[in-house]
Amino acid sequence: TRLEGSKFHIRCDQIDSQIPDWLQSISINPQLIPQIRQVYVNQVMEVTQHDRDAKLIDMKRQLSGLQAEEARLGRLYITEKINEETYDQLRKEWQVKLRSVELNIAEMERDARIFIDDLDFALVLISNISTLYARMKESDQSKLLHVIARRIMIDSEGEIIDHELHSPFAYLRSLVDEFSAEKPQECGSEQPLGGAQMKPISNHAIPRFEMISLNFQEFRII
C-alpha cells in the first residue's frame, strides 16, 4: 500500500480484527425492518409506476381488442367469408400479437416486485451481517465482504476509517441514516428509532444487486 508516495505494510490480522466491529456499525437494527421496508416499497412503487398505470390500461385495452378480434375471425370462418388457409394465417398473426401484449403486461406488473425482492433480501442480510459473518468459514467471510463492500478504507495506522458499500446496501444505509437523523444513537444498537420521521430521499435510482453472478442462497440466515 502507498500513502503520499511512501510504501508501507499493514498486517492483515490487524485489519481482520476490526471487521466484526465494522460490520456491527453498518448493520441495521432488526426492529427497524418494518419501517425501512415501508419506505423503500413506497419509493420503488412511485418510481416504477411512473406512467405505468396509463400504459397498463392501454395494453389491457389492446388485449381486449385482440380477444374480440379472435371472435370476429371465428365468425368470418364459420360464415365462410374466409377460407381455412386464410383463417389459419390470420390466427397465427393474432396469436403473435396476443402473446406480445400479454408478455408486456406481465413484465410491467412484475418490475416493482423484482426490485422489492432484492431489497427485502438485502435488508435481511445486512440486519444479520454480524452474526452471519461470525458463523462462516474464512473463505465465505471474504466472499460476504465482497458482496457488501466496494471499498474499506484504512489510515496509515491500519485503522478502518471509512467505507463504500455496494448497491443496494448503500441505499438501505442511506435510508437508515436519513431515518435516524433526528436521533443521535447508532442504528446498529439495541434501541429502536421509531420516533424519527423519514423524509423522501431524492436522486436515488432504484438499486439492484450489482454483482449479478452472486448466488445469495449460499448465505444461510437463521
Side-chain angles (χ1 to χ4, degrees):
T1 304
R2 291 184 178 274
L3 180 66
E4 296 179 351
S6 300
K7 189 174 182 180
F8 64 97
H9 300 274
I10 296 172
R11 291 176 58 90
C12 291
D13 58 2
Q14 180 182 344
I15 298 172
D16 290 345
S17 65
Q18 301 173 60
I19 295 298
D21 286 342
W22 173 75
L23 289 173
Q24 183 62 36
S25 75
I26 66 166
S27 67
I28 294 175
N29 189 331
Q31 295 181 56
L32 294 177
I33 288 179
Q35 295 132 304
I36 296 302
R37 188 179 189 279
Q38 187 60 57
V39 172
Y40 66 65
V41 166
N42 290 342
Q43 293 189 359
V44 167
M45 295 304 291
E46 181 180 353
V47 173
T48 58
Q49 286 187 345
H50 180 65
D51 292 333
R52 171 180 173 271
D53 291 341
K55 290 177 181 177
L56 271 176
I57 289 171
D58 181 61
M59 282 191 287
K60 287 180 179 180
R61 188 181 297 117
Q62 292 179 44
L63 186 62
S64 296
L66 286 168
Q67 290 167 343
E69 184 179 322
E70 181 188 29
R72 287 195 299 272
L73 285 174
R75 286 195 297 270
L76 289 172
Y77 177 63
I78 291 172
T79 58
E80 299 183 346
K81 292 182 179 179
I82 58 174
N83 59 34
E84 185 174 355
E85 183 179 352
T86 302
Y87 172 76
D88 288 342
Q89 180 60 37
L90 290 174
R91 196 169 191 282
K92 285 178 182 178
E93 294 173 0
W94 169 84
Q95 286 176 325
V96 170
K97 289 188 286 186
L98 180 70
R99 182 59 176 162
S100 176
V101 172
E102 287 176 338
L103 287 174
N104 285 336
I105 290 173
E107 184 69 22
M108 288 195 70
E109 289 180 335
R110 77 184 182 92
D111 277 350
R113 183 69 261 162
I114 292 171
F115 291 120
I116 291 170
D117 285 347
D118 273 0
L119 286 163
D120 284 347
F121 192 93
L123 183 60
V124 173
L125 181 57
I126 200 170
S127 298
N128 291 273
I129 192 70
S130 295
T131 302
L132 187 61
Y133 183 83
R135 295 176 179 175
M136 285 180 160
K137 297 181 296 183
E138 185 175 338
S139 59
D140 291 331
Q141 288 177 337
S142 177
K143 186 183 296 184
L144 181 60
L145 291 176
H146 279 89
V147 169
I148 297 289
R150 184 190 304 275
R151 289 196 301 169
I152 297 175
M153 287 159 269
I154 61 174
D155 62 15
S156 59
E157 302 299 320
E159 298 295 318
I160 296 176
I161 57 173
D162 206 351
H163 62 263
E164 291 179 8
L165 301 180
H166 281 298
S167 173
F169 306 104
Y171 170 77
L172 292 173
R173 280 303 318 180
S174 72
L175 291 184
V176 175
D177 293 343
E178 182 74 15
F179 188 75
S180 60
E182 300 176 12
K183 299 277 186 175
Q185 62 260 51
E186 292 291 331
C187 291
S189 69
E190 293 299 319
Q191 301 194 11
L193 305 173
Q197 297 296 317
M198 175 64 75
K199 301 175 183 177
I201 294 186
S202 59
N203 300 323
H204 271 298
I206 297 301
R208 296 296 309 279
F209 283 114
E210 296 177 348
M211 303 178 72
I212 298 172
S213 63
L214 287 171
N215 176 8
F216 285 94
Q217 299 308 315
E218 295 174 9
F219 302 120
R220 298 181 60 196
I221 300 174
I222 302 173

